């Protein structure tokens, strides 16, 4: 991200004010607000560009092997931008490892992918140790469904519901309810006359 001379002046003034608080003139407040807006816009634009580049990377990966040079170039750019390679990238690079650039990228991506997995696992371990706030599960007994309708006890005369055999799939609606056939009108007979 690059700042113009005016933006740097505003940024320097804002940092000085943050270090030594004092009342600000209205012009300085407006300059700081404009700079904050410009930074937000630049961050948003960088996010849109990253999304576009990653979508482009997927398109090139799906077009392999015909798009090898473009894919490798885009992958290098994405890795430089902080992209974590996924299983699809590793599989594509394994298929292309006969090329020296792809082989070098495969080694780099394997290291990055392993580091990313370790970081995620470490994050889960930390999250598992910390007590998480409990919320009610809605799909299990005791959730919101249990509040709606309590199970009533069955009377001895009431038969149990028949169960489906485990190996047999549920029938399709067309098997249970066959399509309606339109009645065919009887053929009209002509009277000879």
């Amino acid at each position: 991200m690059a700042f113009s001379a005016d933006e740097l002046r505003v940024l320097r003034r804002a940092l000085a004010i943050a270090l030594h608080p004092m009342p600000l003139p209205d012009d300085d407040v407006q300059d700081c607000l404009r700079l904050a807006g410009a930074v937000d816009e630049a961050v948003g634009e960088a996010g849109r560009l990253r999304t576009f580049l990653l979508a482009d990377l997927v398109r090139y990966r799906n077009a392999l092997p015909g798009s090898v040079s473009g894919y490798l170039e885009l992958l290098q750019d994405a890795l430089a931008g902080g992209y974590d390679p996924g299983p699809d990238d590793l599989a594509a690079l394994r298929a292309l490892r006969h090329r020296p650039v792809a082989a070098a990228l495969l080694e780099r991506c394997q290291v990055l992918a392993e580091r990313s997995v370790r970081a995620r696992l470490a994050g889960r371990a930390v999250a598992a140790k910390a007590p998480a706030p409990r919320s009610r599960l809605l799909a299990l007994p005791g959730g919101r469904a249990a509040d709606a309708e309590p199970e009533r006890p069955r009377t001895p005369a009431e038969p149990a519901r028949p169960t489906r055999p485990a190996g047999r799939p549920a029938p399709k609606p067309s098997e249970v309810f066959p399509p309606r056939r339109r009645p065919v009108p009887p053929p009209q007979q002509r009277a000879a006359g």
Side-chain angles (χ1 to χ4, degrees):
M1 183 180 296
F3 291 104
S4 69
D6 285 338
E7 290 172 334
L8 282 175
R9 179 182 50 80
V10 172
L11 184 61
R12 190 176 308 122
R13 231 178 329 155
L15 289 174
I17 292 167
L19 291 173
H20 305 289
M22 61 180 182
L24 289 176
D26 289 340
D27 293 340
D28 289 348
V29 171
Q30 291 303 318
D31 289 343
C32 289
L33 290 174
R34 273 193 294 277
L35 178 62
V39 169
D40 289 344
E41 186 178 327
V43 168
E45 185 63 30
R48 285 189 293 277
L49 179 62
R50 179 178 169 80
T51 302
F52 173 78
L53 290 176
L54 292 181
D56 216 18
L57 180 68
V58 170
R59 280 192 294 275
Y60 273 77
R61 183 177 58 230
N62 291 339
L64 286 174
S67 61
V68 173
S69 59
Y71 172 70
L72 295 176
E73 185 178 320
L74 281 172
L75 184 59
Q76 287 175 340
D77 292 344
L79 292 174
Y83 172 69
D84 281 335
D88 293 338
D89 295 310
L90 295 173
L93 289 172
R94 283 187 192 106
L96 301 171
R97 76 178 106 182
H98 62 278
R99 294 175 172 256
V101 174
L105 272 174
L106 177 61
E107 289 178 25
R108 182 177 173 196
C109 286
Q110 285 174 333
V111 169
L112 290 172
E114 183 178 333
R115 196 177 299 156
S116 175
V117 168
R118 287 179 191 262
R120 274 186 269 152
L121 289 175
R124 283 186 190 160
V126 169
K129 290 179 185 176
R134 301 246 353 207
S135 63
R136 293 178 57 169
L137 296 175
L138 302 178
L140 298 177
R144 192 176 291 168
D147 295 341
E149 183 182 328
E151 188 175 326
R152 59 185 174 97
R154 237 185 273 162
T155 61
E158 187 178 352
R161 269 193 200 166
T163 58
R164 232 179 29 246
R168 186 172 175 206
K172 295 183 213 171
S174 62
E175 295 171 343
V176 177
F177 305 106
R180 292 185 193 181
R181 305 269 185 236
R182 292 188 178 168
V184 177
Q188 295 178 358
Q189 296 179 357
R190 292 186 159 181

